[in-house]
Amino acid sequence: MRYKLIAIDMDGTLLNSQNKVSEKNKEVLFKAIDEGIHVVLSTGRILSSALYYREKIGLKNPVIACNGALISSQKDIIYENPMNIDSVNKVVEIAEEDNIYYHFYDTNTFYSKETDNRYFKHYQFYEDSLKKQSINLQLFKTPIGIFGEKKPTVYKFVFVEENTDKLLKFREKLSSIDGINVSSSWHNNIEVMNEGVSKGTGLEHLIGKLNIDKSQVVAIGDNENDISMFKTAGLAIGMKNGAQNIKDCVHVVTDTNDQNGVGKAIEKYVLNK
């Protein structure tokens, strides 16, 4: 099979534990590019972060951000599917009732409710990193204060809770809301996008524009939000460090993100095939 596009998740996949792309992985990515293969970052991250890493690596293809809610070329947004305001209000109402920490994204702004909990402190710690990635940090005290006044465009919510039972009950409540899609990228989070939004649908939109068949697509990832992407690809590759629930959704499993799993997989299954 001659593959034409590789869609690669970032956290836990292309990025190692230090949030860096290894030289080995970079080397293999450019070998693929030299063979005429499109290399596409497909991430749950905010668009500004995805674009930052694309530039840092030296890639030229579009990026899929916010779990498929946005696709951007080098200069322009070529696809977007934000949440509608009714869904936003219902999701926020449940989160406030359950006292669940949350933040959300537009294209370049990280919105977080003011809190003294450790989740916010975590992002304060990475403030320099946010600035490097051209990400604005916007704090708000109450939902009405941000949604009533600024009316931001919301592409994705992230809810974080270490109490697994509390998180699962919250997810069950979200199932009562029409017009949203719910996923997860880590054991302690839940991600909410507009209905129909996923990495898989984003990938389908992109390969349609590029006139590439699904059978010619490789998807590499490590968590639940990558499953829709796996289903879209002709070859689905999971990371050894990935969540257990992805193992039945992939064709093969490669090494960990700290052992150049992406590069090893591309060399073995894609290059010179």
Side-chain angles (χ1 to χ4, degrees):
M1 170 60 67
R2 172 70 166 83
Y3 294 110
K4 294 186 177 181
L5 184 146
I6 308 171
I8 311 172
D9 170 56
M10 289 175 56
D11 294 282
T13 302
L14 182 61
L15 301 181
N16 60 24
S17 298
Q18 286 72 49
N19 279 326
K20 294 181 179 180
V21 181
S22 70
E23 290 304 316
K24 171 65 175 179
N25 280 344
K26 285 183 186 178
E27 175 189 332
V28 176
L29 292 184
F30 281 98
K31 283 182 180 178
I33 291 169
D34 287 343
E35 291 198 10
I37 299 171
H38 298 278
V39 174
V40 173
L41 298 181
S42 182
T43 180
R45 288 189 179 216
I46 190 171
L47 178 60
S48 289
S49 182
L51 293 174
Y52 167 83
Y53 276 95
R54 180 182 67 179
E55 182 178 350
K56 193 173 180 65
I57 297 167
L59 303 177
K60 302 298 182 184
N61 288 118
V63 297
I64 299 171
C66 291
N67 282 343
L70 283 162
I71 303 176
S72 178
S73 63
Q74 285 185 280
K75 294 182 179 180
D76 303 307
I77 292 174
I78 58 178
Y79 170 82
E80 61 179 333
N81 190 348
M83 294 182 67
N84 69 68
I85 190 62
D86 287 340
S87 297
V88 167
N89 288 336
K90 290 174 183 176
V91 166
V92 169
E93 182 180 354
I94 294 176
E96 291 287 328
E97 287 175 354
D98 285 12
N99 192 29
I100 297 279
Y101 167 78
Y102 63 92
H103 55 259
F104 61 92
Y105 311 145
D106 62 13
T107 57
N108 63 356
T109 303
F110 179 101
Y111 295 87
S112 175
K113 186 177 179 181
E114 286 190 24
T115 174
D116 59 0
N117 70 29
R118 63 192 183 88
Y119 305 122
F120 176 61
K121 291 177 181 177
H122 170 81
Y123 287 102
Q124 281 184 311
F125 180 78
Y126 286 105
E127 188 172 4
D128 286 343
S129 179
L130 295 177
K131 289 178 180 177
K132 286 179 182 177
Q133 297 176 52
S134 300
I135 300 172
N136 302 315
L137 178 61
Q138 177 71 59
L139 305 180
F140 59 93
K141 292 184 177 180
T142 64
I144 191 66
I146 193 69
F147 294 113
E149 297 171 9
K150 292 187 175 292
K151 295 181 172 59
T153 300
V154 180
Y155 292 101
K156 191 183 89 163
F157 275 98
V158 180
F159 302 89
V160 184
E161 174 57 57
E162 296 295 340
N163 184 321
T164 302
D165 289 339
K166 184 176 179 179
L167 194 66
L168 288 174
K169 289 177 181 177
F170 175 66
R171 185 163 185 163
E172 288 176 8
K173 290 183 180 180
L174 290 176
S175 66
S176 67
I177 301 175
D178 293 328
I180 64 173
N181 188 33
V182 180
S183 188
S184 174
S185 63
W186 197 242
H187 67 89
N188 67 347
N189 81 13
I190 288 173
E191 302 178 335
V192 176
M193 297 74 59
N194 198 41
E195 185 176 25
V197 168
S198 69
K199 288 188 180 184
T201 54
L203 183 56
E204 286 180 6
H205 182 86
L206 182 58
I207 63 176
K209 279 188 167 293
L210 296 173
N211 196 28
I212 294 174
D213 189 80
K214 290 182 180 181
S215 65
Q216 298 170 313
V217 174
V218 178
I220 311 176
D222 75 310
N223 224 304
E224 180 187 338
N225 64 336
D226 297 312
I227 291 176
S228 62
M229 187 167 69
F230 293 149
K231 292 178 179 178
T232 302
L235 176 62
I237 302 174
M239 303 298 293
K240 187 176 181 180
N241 56 282
Q244 188 59 39
N245 64 346
I246 72 162
K247 301 299 171 64
D248 294 333
C249 302
V250 298
H251 298 107
V252 294
V253 175
T254 187
D255 212 335
T256 70
N257 62 321
D258 285 325
Q259 296 297 324
N260 306 308
V262 167
K264 290 175 180 177
I266 294 173
E267 283 184 326
K268 183 174 182 179
Y269 301 108
V270 179
L271 294 180
N272 303 312
K273 293 295 183 181

